[in-house]
Amino acid sequence: MAANPSVVIDRDTTGPAAPDGTAAGTTTTTTTRITTSTTTAPSTSTTKVKSPILVLGGTGTVGSRIAAQLAASHHPVVIASRSAKSSPSTSASSDSEPNKRANSTEKNENLHRVYFDWLDRSTWSNPFNYISSLTKQQLEKEKSDPRAQPSPYSTTAAEREALAQDSAQREEEQKQAWKIQSVYLIAPPGVMDAAGVMMDFVDFARRLPAPGFEDSTEGEARDGGGVKRFVLQSASCIEPGGPAMGKVHGYFRELGSRGEIEWAVLRPSWFQQNFAVQDNHVQSIRDEGKIYSATGDGKIPWISADDIAAVAVQALTMPVAPNTEFLVLGPELLSYDDIASTLSDVLGKKIVHVDLTSGDLERRHRSFGMPEDYSSMMSALDTGIKYGMENRTNDLVLSVTGVAPKTFREYAESVKHVWQPSGVETVVKPVEVVWTAA
């Protein structure tokens, strides 16, 4: 007897409560199966589609690691940045094992790059237009698949009508599955207070038209098109409602309390990577055997960017809406004296910590090209550390990811080539503010 193809769509829908009691939203997992029915046992093929995730600043310190880890787990990732043509493998630290796996070749089918500029609103739609174009191409490809065509052996109009309905339903499911559901946000570098523009982007992204209504006028059906989940990178020193990213954090809580978005805010402490990528640290360690700060003997729970990224991946993909903040801290409290001691052991030469006054630190920052307002703020943060602002740690990385966070010694051992004597080529970055170290 002739085969009669049919399309079957399975749905697994869950909607548990969020940890903080706000609306968690509903998560739907869709499995599409093309089956061939005959008088004998049918053969079945199953494909699960993971929704694309947008990573803004996806070529930076944390963003590149998020993109690499997502791609390694077969999540489609849209990397949006002003350097869209660059590969994460060229900007992410070589010590990151997920980056090595995801970027074993220059081209990765799970990584998609688009141009995006926070300060150019005409580029905000680029990631969504790109995904819409990919979706249309995929749908056209599937429509041309002979298995999706009505069988000439269908004996009744009802069979043909059922297949047509299944095909239409499957097309709608594909549109939904290939919609950007989650976005990772990090502030644009060099902008002191980007809260306003970032909140405007959140409103833009969550109010996008539903698939199939991209060209509709205001007032036509638009539900279901916008981004559902937003994950923000802030900083451990910024409380919700505070300055800069604190304003965006507060806005997330407000929207979440009304059930309008799913959200998470990562508040990482100071990056271990600062010592290996920031020019002021690299040069002084390599050429002078010194590190400079105004922190006294204040301690910091230094955190690896790999661990920040691992927490971010969980926040972006967990089936239950996080609707909370994640205070991302390293496994040990270390002062700059402790950092100097560890570097001395790793490098086999004496490294000392020079404790500056607040004013001297500001002048040092400016000598490396940091704007005056930034240098003043960074010096103030060092003063806060001096008086215990960062003297805390937790087990959040382990509890969220199941993997213990990296120690500073482990990180230093993996990148010690960076601090080789002058004449050895190194790649360094200018000083960045802690919550824009993307």
Side-chain angles (χ1 to χ4, degrees):
M1 181 175 180
N4 182 24
S6 63
V7 178
V8 181
I9 298 177
D10 299 332
R11 298 176 185 80
D12 178 16
T13 303
T14 56
D20 66 351
T22 57
T26 299
T27 300
T28 302
T29 302
T30 302
T31 302
T32 304
R33 296 181 289 128
I34 300 177
T35 66
T36 304
S37 300
T38 66
T39 53
T40 60
S43 61
T44 305
S45 63
T46 303
T47 302
K48 289 189 176 181
V49 178
K50 293 183 177 181
S51 297
I53 293 175
L54 172 60
V55 180
L56 301 178
T59 58
T61 303
V62 176
S64 61
R65 287 166 165 81
I66 294 171
Q69 292 182 27
L70 286 169
S73 61
H74 307 291
H75 271 280
V77 184
V78 181
I79 299 170
S81 71
R82 288 180 297 179
S83 56
K85 292 184 179 180
S86 65
S87 166
S89 61
T90 64
S91 57
S93 174
S94 61
D95 67 309
S96 174
E97 188 59 34
N99 290 343
K100 293 177 184 178
R101 291 198 304 269
N103 296 293
S104 56
T105 60
E106 180 67 20
K107 182 177 178 60
N108 187 307
E109 64 179 7
N110 292 315
L111 296 176
H112 308 271
R113 298 167 179 82
V114 298
Y115 182 79
F116 180 93
D117 185 347
W118 276 112
L119 304 183
D120 181 358
R121 295 178 184 235
S122 69
T123 69
W124 288 6
S125 61
N126 286 355
F128 306 100
N129 291 341
Y130 175 81
I131 288 298
S132 177
S133 176
L134 281 185
T135 304
K136 290 176 181 177
Q137 293 176 22
Q138 181 65 21
L139 289 173
E140 289 300 319
K141 180 180 178 181
E142 293 190 1
K143 284 180 181 179
S144 65
D145 189 330
R147 294 175 300 175
Q149 307 305 316
S151 170
Y153 299 101
S154 298
T155 56
T156 67
E159 280 184 301
R160 293 191 292 273
E161 176 64 21
L163 179 59
Q165 291 177 359
D166 283 341
S167 298
Q169 190 174 13
R170 181 170 181 269
E171 180 174 330
E172 181 59 29
E173 293 286 354
Q174 286 287 79
K175 287 181 180 180
Q176 291 296 327
W178 264 87
K179 181 181 69 175
I180 293 174
Q181 301 276 6
S182 302
V183 176
Y184 191 82
L185 303 95
I186 185 166
V191 180
M192 273 293 290
D193 190 354
V197 71
M198 294 182 77
M199 290 187 288
D200 285 349
F201 174 80
V202 169
D203 288 340
F204 166 82
R206 69 191 181 90
R207 292 170 177 164
L208 288 167
F213 287 89
E214 289 85 354
D215 299 324
S216 64
T217 59
E218 194 68 32
E220 289 187 84
R222 299 172 68 87
D223 291 342
V227 173
K228 287 181 168 49
R229 184 175 300 184
F230 297 88
V231 178
L232 170 72
Q233 182 178 312
S234 183
S236 59
C237 57
I238 304 178
E239 298 291 336
M245 294 305 95
K247 297 177 184 177
V248 186
H249 188 164
Y251 189 52
F252 279 15
R253 293 176 67 171
E254 177 187 335
L255 294 176
S257 69
R258 299 200 297 263
E260 296 181 23
I261 65 168
E262 300 174 358
W263 64 277
V265 175
L266 271 61
R267 295 177 57 203
S269 186
W270 294 69
F271 294 7
Q272 296 173 2
Q273 279 71 15
N274 289 355
F275 293 100
V277 301
Q278 292 183 353
D279 201 6
N280 61 324
H281 284 311
V282 173
Q283 288 186 12
S284 66
I285 294 169
R286 183 189 63 205
D287 301 336
E288 303 175 45
K290 297 176 180 179
I291 52 175
Y292 295 86
S293 84
T295 60
D297 59 0
K299 293 183 181 293
I300 299 170
W302 299 93
I303 183 72
S304 168
D306 290 313
D307 295 320
I308 300 169
V311 174
V313 167
Q314 292 300 314
L316 288 163
T317 62
M318 60 178 58
V320 179
N323 294 345
T324 190
E325 67 174 46
F326 296 91
L327 187 63
V328 190
L329 308 178
E332 53 191 351
L333 289 168
L334 300 175
S335 66
Y336 272 81
D337 284 338
D338 296 326
I339 294 292
S341 177
T342 299
L343 289 174
S344 297
D345 291 344
V346 169
L347 299 177
K349 70 174 186 177
K350 184 67 174 177
I351 307 294
V352 298
H353 168 220
V354 180
D355 188 28
L356 301 175
T357 66
S358 178
D360 285 342
L361 183 64
E362 284 189 44
R363 285 186 284 274
R364 176 173 169 78
H365 284 326
R366 289 200 295 272
S367 74
F368 281 88
M370 182 180 286
E372 185 174 350
D373 52 357
Y374 267 40
S375 62
S376 177
M377 178 185 63
M378 295 297 285
S379 178
L381 290 174
D382 267 30
T383 300
I385 293 168
K386 182 176 183 177
Y387 292 104
M389 180 177 69
E390 294 287 348
N391 194 0
R392 56 188 172 177
T393 190
N394 60 25
D395 64 351
L396 182 132
V397 172
L398 177 61
S399 65
V400 171
T401 70
V403 178
K406 184 180 295 184
T407 66
F408 179 74
R409 181 178 293 273
E410 290 171 327
Y411 174 70
E413 288 282 3
S414 71
V415 296
K416 61 184 179 182
H417 60 278
V418 171
W419 303 298
Q420 297 299 321
S422 296
V424 177
E425 183 179 0
T426 60
V427 178
V428 295
K429 295 181 180 180
V431 177
E432 297 173 293
V433 180
V434 63
W435 57 83
T436 62

